[in-house]
Amino acid sequence: MLLSAGEAKNLGPSSGPNRLRDLCTFCTISLDQEEVYRTKVYEKSVSPFYSEDFYFEIPRPFQCLSFYVYAKSMFQIRDLPVGKVAIRKEDLYKYCGKENWFQLQPVDPHSEVQGKVHLEMKLNELITENGSICQQLVVQIIACQGLPLISGQNCDPYATVTLVGSDQKKTKVKKKTSDPQFEETFHFEVTRSSSYKGRSHFHVEEEDIEKLEIKVELWNNGNLAQDVFLGETRISVKILRNDHIHRAWYLLQPKGNGTKSKPDDMGSLRLKVTYTEDNVLSSACYTALRNLMLKSPDVKPISASAAHVLGDICRESVGYEALLPVVRLLLHHNRLLPFLTSVAALELENTQEANTIFRGNSLATRCIDDMMKIVGRSYLTVTLKPVLNEIFESNKTCEIDPVKLKEGDNVEVNKENLQGYVQKVFTFITQSSSSCPPLMCDVFRSLRQLASKHFPADPHVQYSAVSSFVFLRFFAVAVLSPHTFQLRSHHPDPEISRTLTLISKTIQSLGSWGSLSKNKLSSFKETYMYDFFKLFQEDECIEKVKMFLDEISSNVSKESSGVEDSFVLKEGEVHKRAQGRKRIGKKNFKKRWLRVTNQELSYHKQKGKEALCVIPVKNILSVEKLEESAFNRKNMFQVIQSEKPLYVQAGNCVETNSWIEVLSQVSRCNPGRLSTFHPSAYVGGSWLCCKEPNESTPGCKPCTATVLANIQLDIDCDRETERIFSFFSSNRSRLQKMEDACAGMSVYLGQQEECSAFTIQDPKETFRTIKELGEVLDDLQAHHDSKGALTDEPGTM
């Protein structure tokens, strides 16, 4: 899911003393009632400009995506809710990929619901003592799933059942669970003779039974505090008209089914939501399409391959976005390098000037870009995160454009600040060759050889072929937008953003081989950048770039020089279980500040305080999720080491995945990593998962984190193939046009006008590929249709 929180306007009541001019605001993003992201706090304004993007995989089912706007006040302990936008999952398609203004709605505790309840209803006939027959309604509350957390912890839920006009009945309270199993049955007598005088029942005629309604409410038991409403559902008894027994799951609804009076004008929020849901079939269904895609690197010419055909037909509709699942699929099966080599060679055939090599947006450059973003993420973190952290935290003024200088700014001081930052970034990059991923090195070496072969008279082209990717499309882009590469959690403020823009411009020019000749400063249109860049026109800079490009595109094994500096990869507040202490009780889990660097994992009482415990990264044997049943807590993971495991609860499901990913990546090459683990805890003399009494018993479940040691394995090939199928399916008309173009070229023996939209080198081979694709796509569509016909979702889900 890709979310963009753009801006808000006219926040707060339309008039009166509660206008939010004097309050700072921020926006949060929640899956159901679980907050997963929040923006920075923005200065006092009724129309704040957030402009923050969030991309994340959704790790669990959800019903509703919500955006809350809060106001911060110096005199309030809690943040003040201004309003919210809630979009149900089934409605996301209406807004997908488009910017929309949404009216803020009031935040009502009785409307904040999530989860579902499993019910069974049936009607029985009873014969009374006097011989008359009455109807008895039997309602069984079986279970609930996905109830919200209360104050960050599992709730203590119970259910109430009411038949209109009768007494309310209540289940037992279930402790600390979001998925309670009730299995409790309640009886309601719904017909009686007119002579019946019992107070606890009511009179209703037989023909009125279908008008009755059962109401089921879920509550959190507050003990000494007030009980909290969790949701309700209402079911008409007429559902039993055709079936004597009705059993179904029902989504919980707001109180009164969410009916509200018209709210005051609370302002509005501009959002852009891109939500993709993949309906993945069994692996066997994708075999034919997957094999066809994996054969692509061997097809001659490469333009006749299934992968290249996909890029061709999707170019007008989605650009080269359709190539990402292709890159991931080929990467998983170690088939990416030959494919990238072939498409790069095809692009070079159409490149006339050496100084324009790989500068355009093409199928080849997009595939290589995607490859670098996938395999180079840790490389960027190791190389750029320390210096970017320094830039954000020190926040020195670096503006050198005379037009944009503020009153009191000293351009020479600013130029010195900027030069210091650029020099640090440049040094970090040119000394990072030992961290460059092997696949990137292999691709760069291939590009270098292809460029030299195509332009044998140009001695510099072998370098510009590599620098156009690693500097212009990799490092410079990451410096400009660190949040999009997870190097920073938020968009930079305008002043830091300007600093990053100036650094990125300079790094692009320093890394561009053509700009490194002393007479190549004309690439700068701005005089102030021209003057600034002259500070770096030294033979030493040119040699450093040349040496770096040689190292990342050669066969020589690179060793890291010196001791690696420590830098922070991730830190944040968590709840940690005390090790070797009380097994039960609230004191067993404490708030701690967790911090992971490239060398160690540590936790602290608070941010900035001395470490209470330090675990060297080299001692981490595995990082895995922990079952909720272990401690009745969600979003838990375990760091397994030779001593007792470290049990940690993250703030939400997305944060849990993030911690696991960072810790798994930093420890992926550790010797002695485990192949199995226990998904639950050792409590009461045995493992809760496998019931083994011996604490040192090897794990009962294969480790998942070990696959991260090889990035190819951290890819769901069925899901990627399903995405490829979706792109082909939505562009079948273009695929047909390409087939017709191939047929026309074969008949008329030449390039026809309708062929100009496609790359067709060998019409017969391309036609053969398209026909095979058509058969495979039809077969896969039949599997989807078959599955759709069998889908039957009960109740109101």
mmCIF file of all heavy atoms in Angstrom, residues 283-322:
data_model
loop_
_atom_site.group_PDB
_atom_site.id
_atom_site.type_symbol
_atom_site.label_atom_id
_atom_site.label_comp_id
_atom_site.label_asym_id
_atom_site.label_seq_id
_atom_site.Cartn_x
_atom_site.Cartn_y
_atom_site.Cartn_z
ATOM 1 N N SER A 283 0.361 -22.698 -6.091
ATOM 2 C CA SER A 283 1.598 -22.548 -6.864
ATOM 3 C C SER A 283 1.540 -23.256 -8.215
ATOM 4 O O SER A 283 2.066 -22.761 -9.220
ATOM 5 C CB SER A 283 2.777 -23.075 -6.040
ATOM 6 O OG SER A 283 3.988 -22.823 -6.680
ATOM 7 N N ALA A 284 0.866 -24.411 -8.263
ATOM 8 C CA ALA A 284 0.825 -25.187 -9.505
ATOM 9 C C ALA A 284 0.145 -24.422 -10.637
ATOM 10 O O ALA A 284 0.470 -24.623 -11.812
ATOM 11 C CB ALA A 284 0.101 -26.514 -9.258
ATOM 12 N N CYS A 285 -0.789 -23.522 -10.300
ATOM 13 C CA CYS A 285 -1.506 -22.765 -11.329
ATOM 14 C C CYS A 285 -0.586 -21.823 -12.100
ATOM 15 O O CYS A 285 -0.888 -21.437 -13.241
ATOM 16 C CB CYS A 285 -2.642 -21.966 -10.693
ATOM 17 S SG CYS A 285 -3.914 -22.967 -9.898
ATOM 18 N N TYR A 286 0.521 -21.431 -11.498
ATOM 19 C CA TYR A 286 1.413 -20.436 -12.103
ATOM 20 C C TYR A 286 2.600 -21.047 -12.831
ATOM 21 O O TYR A 286 3.427 -20.327 -13.387
ATOM 22 C CB TYR A 286 1.927 -19.472 -11.025
ATOM 23 C CG TYR A 286 0.844 -18.683 -10.353
ATOM 24 C CD1 TYR A 286 0.453 -18.963 -9.051
ATOM 25 C CD2 TYR A 286 0.188 -17.661 -11.026
ATOM 26 C CE1 TYR A 286 -0.551 -18.249 -8.424
ATOM 27 C CE2 TYR A 286 -0.826 -16.943 -10.407
ATOM 28 C CZ TYR A 286 -1.190 -17.240 -9.115
ATOM 29 O OH TYR A 286 -2.197 -16.526 -8.504
ATOM 30 N N THR A 287 2.697 -22.373 -12.835
ATOM 31 C CA THR A 287 3.885 -23.026 -13.393
ATOM 32 C C THR A 287 4.150 -22.604 -14.834
ATOM 33 O O THR A 287 5.279 -22.240 -15.194
ATOM 34 C CB THR A 287 3.743 -24.554 -13.311
ATOM 35 O OG1 THR A 287 3.562 -24.935 -11.947
ATOM 36 C CG2 THR A 287 4.988 -25.240 -13.864
ATOM 37 N N ALA A 288 3.130 -22.640 -15.684
ATOM 38 C CA ALA A 288 3.337 -22.352 -17.109
ATOM 39 C C ALA A 288 3.779 -20.908 -17.329
ATOM 40 O O ALA A 288 4.739 -20.652 -18.077
ATOM 41 C CB ALA A 288 2.045 -22.638 -17.882
ATOM 42 N N LEU A 289 3.106 -19.931 -16.703
ATOM 43 C CA LEU A 289 3.475 -18.526 -16.885
ATOM 44 C C LEU A 289 4.848 -18.255 -16.281
ATOM 45 O O LEU A 289 5.667 -17.534 -16.875
ATOM 46 C CB LEU A 289 2.428 -17.620 -16.249
ATOM 47 C CG LEU A 289 2.670 -16.117 -16.373
ATOM 48 C CD1 LEU A 289 2.808 -15.692 -17.827
ATOM 49 C CD2 LEU A 289 1.545 -15.324 -15.702
ATOM 50 N N ARG A 290 5.109 -18.835 -15.116
ATOM 51 C CA ARG A 290 6.413 -18.630 -14.479
ATOM 52 C C ARG A 290 7.544 -19.161 -15.368
ATOM 53 O O ARG A 290 8.566 -18.485 -15.562
ATOM 54 C CB ARG A 290 6.425 -19.317 -13.118
ATOM 55 C CG ARG A 290 7.712 -19.096 -12.323
ATOM 56 C CD ARG A 290 7.568 -19.548 -10.885
ATOM 57 N NE ARG A 290 7.147 -20.937 -10.763
ATOM 58 C CZ ARG A 290 5.991 -21.330 -10.230
ATOM 59 N NH1 ARG A 290 5.132 -20.421 -9.778
ATOM 60 N NH2 ARG A 290 5.676 -22.607 -10.145
ATOM 61 N N ASN A 291 7.362 -20.340 -15.921
ATOM 62 C CA ASN A 291 8.403 -20.923 -16.785
ATOM 63 C C ASN A 291 8.612 -20.096 -18.041
ATOM 64 O O ASN A 291 9.744 -19.946 -18.528
ATOM 65 C CB ASN A 291 8.037 -22.361 -17.161
ATOM 66 C CG ASN A 291 8.137 -23.318 -15.981
ATOM 67 O OD1 ASN A 291 8.785 -23.005 -14.983
ATOM 68 N ND2 ASN A 291 7.511 -24.475 -16.098
ATOM 69 N N LEU A 292 7.527 -19.547 -18.566
ATOM 70 C CA LEU A 292 7.634 -18.712 -19.762
ATOM 71 C C LEU A 292 8.435 -17.447 -19.474
ATOM 72 O O LEU A 292 9.265 -17.011 -20.298
ATOM 73 C CB LEU A 292 6.227 -18.356 -20.247
ATOM 74 C CG LEU A 292 6.082 -17.791 -21.669
ATOM 75 C CD1 LEU A 292 6.699 -18.733 -22.695
ATOM 76 C CD2 LEU A 292 4.607 -17.562 -21.992
ATOM 77 N N MET A 293 8.209 -16.847 -18.280
ATOM 78 C CA MET A 293 8.966 -15.644 -17.908
ATOM 79 C C MET A 293 10.433 -15.986 -17.646
ATOM 80 O O MET A 293 11.336 -15.230 -18.027
ATOM 81 C CB MET A 293 8.350 -14.999 -16.667
ATOM 82 C CG MET A 293 6.884 -14.590 -16.801
ATOM 83 S SD MET A 293 6.527 -13.525 -18.210
ATOM 84 C CE MET A 293 7.449 -12.071 -17.771
ATOM 85 N N LEU A 294 10.684 -17.119 -16.995
ATOM 86 C CA LEU A 294 12.067 -17.498 -16.660
ATOM 87 C C LEU A 294 12.877 -17.870 -17.904
ATOM 88 O O LEU A 294 14.109 -17.839 -17.879
ATOM 89 C CB LEU A 294 12.066 -18.670 -15.674
ATOM 90 C CG LEU A 294 11.508 -18.370 -14.279
ATOM 91 C CD1 LEU A 294 11.492 -19.626 -13.415
ATOM 92 C CD2 LEU A 294 12.319 -17.279 -13.588
ATOM 93 N N LYS A 295 12.192 -18.205 -18.984
ATOM 94 C CA LYS A 295 12.876 -18.541 -20.237
ATOM 95 C C LYS A 295 13.331 -17.282 -20.974
ATOM 96 O O LYS A 295 14.119 -17.361 -21.932
ATOM 97 C CB LYS A 295 11.911 -19.362 -21.105
ATOM 98 C CG LYS A 295 12.530 -20.065 -22.271
ATOM 99 C CD LYS A 295 11.533 -21.024 -22.929
ATOM 100 C CE LYS A 295 10.380 -20.262 -23.565
ATOM 101 N NZ LYS A 295 9.476 -21.161 -24.336
ATOM 102 N N SER A 296 12.842 -16.113 -20.536
ATOM 103 C CA SER A 296 13.100 -14.859 -21.256
ATOM 104 C C SER A 296 14.570 -14.577 -21.539
ATOM 105 O O SER A 296 14.916 -14.180 -22.660
ATOM 106 C CB SER A 296 12.471 -13.685 -20.492
ATOM 107 O OG SER A 296 11.069 -13.777 -20.487
ATOM 108 N N PRO A 297 15.505 -14.734 -20.554
ATOM 109 C CA PRO A 297 16.897 -14.394 -20.849
ATOM 110 C C PRO A 297 17.510 -15.215 -21.977
ATOM 111 O O PRO A 297 18.503 -14.792 -22.579
ATOM 112 C CB PRO A 297 17.611 -14.685 -19.516
ATOM 113 C CG PRO A 297 16.538 -14.607 -18.475
ATOM 114 C CD PRO A 297 15.305 -15.111 -19.140
ATOM 115 N N ASP A 298 16.922 -16.375 -22.302
ATOM 116 C CA ASP A 298 17.505 -17.251 -23.327
ATOM 117 C C ASP A 298 16.922 -17.007 -24.706
ATOM 118 O O ASP A 298 17.412 -17.567 -25.697
ATOM 119 C CB ASP A 298 17.270 -18.720 -22.945
ATOM 120 C CG ASP A 298 17.857 -19.064 -21.590
ATOM 121 O OD1 ASP A 298 18.944 -18.538 -21.268
ATOM 122 O OD2 ASP A 298 17.234 -19.848 -20.839
ATOM 123 N N VAL A 299 15.845 -16.207 -24.796
ATOM 124 C CA VAL A 299 15.187 -15.978 -26.077
ATOM 125 C C VAL A 299 16.025 -15.035 -26.930
ATOM 126 O O VAL A 299 16.522 -14.014 -26.445
ATOM 127 C CB VAL A 299 13.766 -15.405 -25.859
ATOM 128 C CG1 VAL A 299 13.112 -15.068 -27.187
ATOM 129 C CG2 VAL A 299 12.915 -16.388 -25.069
ATOM 130 N N LYS A 300 16.175 -15.388 -28.207
ATOM 131 C CA LYS A 300 16.917 -14.547 -29.151
ATOM 132 C C LYS A 300 15.990 -14.162 -30.297
ATOM 133 O O LYS A 300 15.393 -15.032 -30.924
ATOM 134 C CB LYS A 300 18.130 -15.294 -29.701
ATOM 135 C CG LYS A 300 19.083 -15.829 -28.653
ATOM 136 C CD LYS A 300 19.739 -14.727 -27.853
ATOM 137 C CE LYS A 300 20.708 -15.330 -26.819
ATOM 138 N NZ LYS A 300 21.238 -14.313 -25.912
ATOM 139 N N PRO A 301 15.828 -12.871 -30.565
ATOM 140 C CA PRO A 301 16.355 -11.731 -29.812
ATOM 141 C C PRO A 301 15.571 -11.520 -28.518
ATOM 142 O O PRO A 301 14.464 -12.030 -28.388
ATOM 143 C CB PRO A 301 16.151 -10.558 -30.766
ATOM 144 C CG PRO A 301 14.928 -10.953 -31.558
ATOM 145 C CD PRO A 301 15.014 -12.445 -31.727
ATOM 146 N N ILE A 302 16.146 -10.756 -27.617
ATOM 147 C CA ILE A 302 15.519 -10.551 -26.306
ATOM 148 C C ILE A 302 14.172 -9.846 -26.433
ATOM 149 O O ILE A 302 13.279 -10.025 -25.598
ATOM 150 C CB ILE A 302 16.471 -9.756 -25.372
ATOM 151 C CG1 ILE A 302 15.959 -9.791 -23.926
ATOM 152 C CG2 ILE A 302 16.634 -8.328 -25.864
ATOM 153 C CD1 ILE A 302 15.974 -11.154 -23.293
ATOM 154 N N SER A 303 13.980 -9.073 -27.488
ATOM 155 C CA SER A 303 12.705 -8.349 -27.672
ATOM 156 C C SER A 303 11.543 -9.298 -27.923
ATOM 157 O O SER A 303 10.378 -8.901 -27.791
ATOM 158 C CB SER A 303 12.825 -7.353 -28.834
ATOM 159 O OG SER A 303 13.122 -8.046 -30.039
ATOM 160 N N ALA A 304 11.837 -10.553 -28.276
ATOM 161 C CA ALA A 304 10.783 -11.547 -28.501
ATOM 162 C C ALA A 304 10.442 -12.324 -27.237
ATOM 163 O O ALA A 304 9.588 -13.212 -27.282
ATOM 164 C CB ALA A 304 11.209 -12.518 -29.603
ATOM 165 N N SER A 305 11.082 -12.013 -26.132
ATOM 166 C CA SER A 305 10.843 -12.738 -24.882
ATOM 167 C C SER A 305 9.550 -12.259 -24.222
ATOM 168 O O SER A 305 9.084 -11.139 -24.451
ATOM 169 C CB SER A 305 12.011 -12.543 -23.921
ATOM 170 O OG SER A 305 12.078 -11.206 -23.477
ATOM 171 N N ALA A 306 8.988 -13.113 -23.363
ATOM 172 C CA ALA A 306 7.742 -12.757 -22.658
ATOM 173 C C ALA A 306 7.947 -11.549 -21.758
ATOM 174 O O ALA A 306 7.059 -10.691 -21.646
ATOM 175 C CB ALA A 306 7.264 -13.957 -21.847
ATOM 176 N N ALA A 307 9.111 -11.455 -21.112
ATOM 177 C CA ALA A 307 9.370 -10.326 -20.209
ATOM 178 C C ALA A 307 9.425 -9.014 -20.984
ATOM 179 O O ALA A 307 8.873 -7.989 -20.554
ATOM 180 C CB ALA A 307 10.679 -10.560 -19.452
ATOM 181 N N HIS A 308 10.100 -9.020 -22.133
ATOM 182 C CA HIS A 308 10.198 -7.794 -22.927
ATOM 183 C C HIS A 308 8.850 -7.433 -23.530
ATOM 184 O O HIS A 308 8.484 -6.236 -23.600
ATOM 185 C CB HIS A 308 11.244 -7.968 -24.027
ATOM 186 C CG HIS A 308 11.749 -6.674 -24.592
ATOM 187 N ND1 HIS A 308 10.996 -5.890 -25.450
ATOM 188 C CD2 HIS A 308 12.917 -5.999 -24.409
ATOM 189 C CE1 HIS A 308 11.680 -4.809 -25.787
ATOM 190 N NE2 HIS A 308 12.849 -4.848 -25.159
ATOM 191 N N VAL A 309 8.077 -8.425 -23.957
ATOM 192 C CA VAL A 309 6.741 -8.163 -24.493
ATOM 193 C C VAL A 309 5.868 -7.484 -23.441
ATOM 194 O O VAL A 309 5.131 -6.542 -23.744
ATOM 195 C CB VAL A 309 6.097 -9.481 -24.971
ATOM 196 C CG1 VAL A 309 4.599 -9.281 -25.240
ATOM 197 C CG2 VAL A 309 6.785 -9.987 -26.235
ATOM 198 N N LEU A 310 5.946 -7.936 -22.187
ATOM 199 C CA LEU A 310 5.176 -7.317 -21.117
ATOM 200 C C LEU A 310 5.529 -5.839 -20.974
ATOM 201 O O LEU A 310 4.640 -4.979 -20.856
ATOM 202 C CB LEU A 310 5.425 -8.047 -19.793
ATOM 203 C CG LEU A 310 4.712 -7.462 -18.565
ATOM 204 C CD1 LEU A 310 3.199 -7.563 -18.727
ATOM 205 C CD2 LEU A 310 5.158 -8.165 -17.285
ATOM 206 N N GLY A 311 6.822 -5.524 -20.960
ATOM 207 C CA GLY A 311 7.239 -4.124 -20.867
ATOM 208 C C GLY A 311 6.747 -3.297 -22.037
ATOM 209 O O GLY A 311 6.340 -2.141 -21.876
ATOM 210 N N ASP A 312 6.731 -3.897 -23.217
ATOM 211 C CA ASP A 312 6.294 -3.197 -24.423
ATOM 212 C C ASP A 312 4.808 -2.848 -24.376
ATOM 213 O O ASP A 312 4.418 -1.714 -24.677
ATOM 214 C CB ASP A 312 6.579 -4.077 -25.647
ATOM 215 C CG ASP A 312 7.584 -3.437 -26.593
ATOM 216 O OD1 ASP A 312 8.145 -2.382 -26.230
ATOM 217 O OD2 ASP A 312 7.809 -3.976 -27.687
ATOM 218 N N ILE A 313 3.968 -3.815 -24.004
ATOM 219 C CA ILE A 313 2.525 -3.573 -24.077
ATOM 220 C C ILE A 313 2.018 -2.718 -22.916
ATOM 221 O O ILE A 313 0.952 -2.106 -23.016
ATOM 222 C CB ILE A 313 1.729 -4.901 -24.133
ATOM 223 C CG1 ILE A 313 1.888 -5.698 -22.838
ATOM 224 C CG2 ILE A 313 2.132 -5.723 -25.349
ATOM 225 C CD1 ILE A 313 0.973 -6.899 -22.743
ATOM 226 N N CYS A 314 2.779 -2.660 -21.815
ATOM 227 C CA CYS A 314 2.343 -1.876 -20.642
ATOM 228 C C CYS A 314 2.931 -0.477 -20.613
ATOM 229 O O CYS A 314 2.604 0.312 -19.728
ATOM 230 C CB CYS A 314 2.714 -2.603 -19.349
ATOM 231 S SG CYS A 314 1.852 -4.166 -19.116
ATOM 232 N N ARG A 315 3.792 -0.157 -21.578
ATOM 233 C CA ARG A 315 4.523 1.112 -21.531
ATOM 234 C C ARG A 315 3.589 2.308 -21.538
ATOM 235 O O ARG A 315 3.795 3.283 -20.818
ATOM 236 C CB ARG A 315 5.501 1.176 -22.706
ATOM 237 C CG ARG A 315 6.447 2.368 -22.675
ATOM 238 C CD ARG A 315 7.510 2.217 -23.744
ATOM 239 N NE ARG A 315 6.907 2.007 -25.049
ATOM 240 C CZ ARG A 315 7.398 1.208 -25.995
ATOM 241 N NH1 ARG A 315 8.481 0.511 -25.737
ATOM 242 N NH2 ARG A 315 6.809 1.091 -27.157
ATOM 243 N N GLU A 316 2.529 2.261 -22.314
ATOM 244 C CA GLU A 316 1.615 3.405 -22.413
ATOM 245 C C GLU A 316 0.698 3.520 -21.204
ATOM 246 O O GLU A 316 0.336 4.617 -20.796
ATOM 247 C CB GLU A 316 0.760 3.281 -23.687
ATOM 248 C CG GLU A 316 1.536 3.531 -24.960
ATOM 249 C CD GLU A 316 0.623 3.558 -26.177
ATOM 250 O OE1 GLU A 316 -0.607 3.394 -25.999
ATOM 251 O OE2 GLU A 316 1.134 3.747 -27.291
ATOM 252 N N SER A 317 0.304 2.378 -20.595
ATOM 253 C CA SER A 317 -0.675 2.420 -19.504
ATOM 254 C C SER A 317 -0.039 2.669 -18.147
ATOM 255 O O SER A 317 -0.495 3.516 -17.381
ATOM 256 C CB SER A 317 -1.465 1.105 -19.460
ATOM 257 O OG SER A 317 -0.593 -0.010 -19.322
ATOM 258 N N VAL A 318 1.019 1.956 -17.808
ATOM 259 C CA VAL A 318 1.629 2.090 -16.476
ATOM 260 C C VAL A 318 3.125 2.366 -16.544
ATOM 261 O O VAL A 318 3.842 2.191 -15.556
ATOM 262 C CB VAL A 318 1.381 0.816 -15.632
ATOM 263 C CG1 VAL A 318 -0.078 0.655 -15.323
ATOM 264 C CG2 VAL A 318 1.931 -0.438 -16.319
ATOM 265 N N GLY A 319 3.615 2.799 -17.718
ATOM 266 C CA GLY A 319 5.053 2.991 -17.850
ATOM 267 C C GLY A 319 5.755 1.650 -17.748
ATOM 268 O O GLY A 319 5.309 0.653 -18.322
ATOM 269 N N TYR A 320 6.829 1.623 -16.991
ATOM 270 C CA TYR A 320 7.559 0.366 -16.813
ATOM 271 C C TYR A 320 7.328 -0.230 -15.430
ATOM 272 O O TYR A 320 8.119 -1.031 -14.942
ATOM 273 C CB TYR A 320 9.050 0.587 -17.062
ATOM 274 C CG TYR A 320 9.375 0.858 -18.525
ATOM 275 C CD1 TYR A 320 9.859 2.096 -18.938
ATOM 276 C CD2 TYR A 320 9.166 -0.127 -19.477
ATOM 277 C CE1 TYR A 320 10.140 2.345 -20.277
ATOM 278 C CE2 TYR A 320 9.451 0.108 -20.819
ATOM 279 C CZ TYR A 320 9.934 1.348 -21.210
ATOM 280 O OH TYR A 320 10.200 1.582 -22.535
ATOM 281 N N GLU A 321 6.216 0.159 -14.792
ATOM 282 C CA GLU A 321 5.883 -0.374 -13.472
ATOM 283 C C GLU A 321 5.695 -1.890 -13.510
ATOM 284 O O GLU A 321 5.983 -2.602 -12.546
ATOM 285 C CB GLU A 321 4.603 0.293 -12.965
ATOM 286 C CG GLU A 321 4.161 -0.150 -11.587
ATOM 287 C CD GLU A 321 2.824 0.449 -11.190
ATOM 288 O OE1 GLU A 321 2.475 1.522 -11.729
ATOM 289 O OE2 GLU A 321 2.146 -0.154 -10.342
ATOM 290 N N ALA A 322 5.224 -2.406 -14.646
ATOM 291 C CA ALA A 322 4.969 -3.844 -14.775
ATOM 292 C C ALA A 322 6.245 -4.665 -14.717
ATOM 293 O O ALA A 322 6.184 -5.895 -14.556
ATOM 294 C CB ALA A 322 4.234 -4.114 -16.090
#
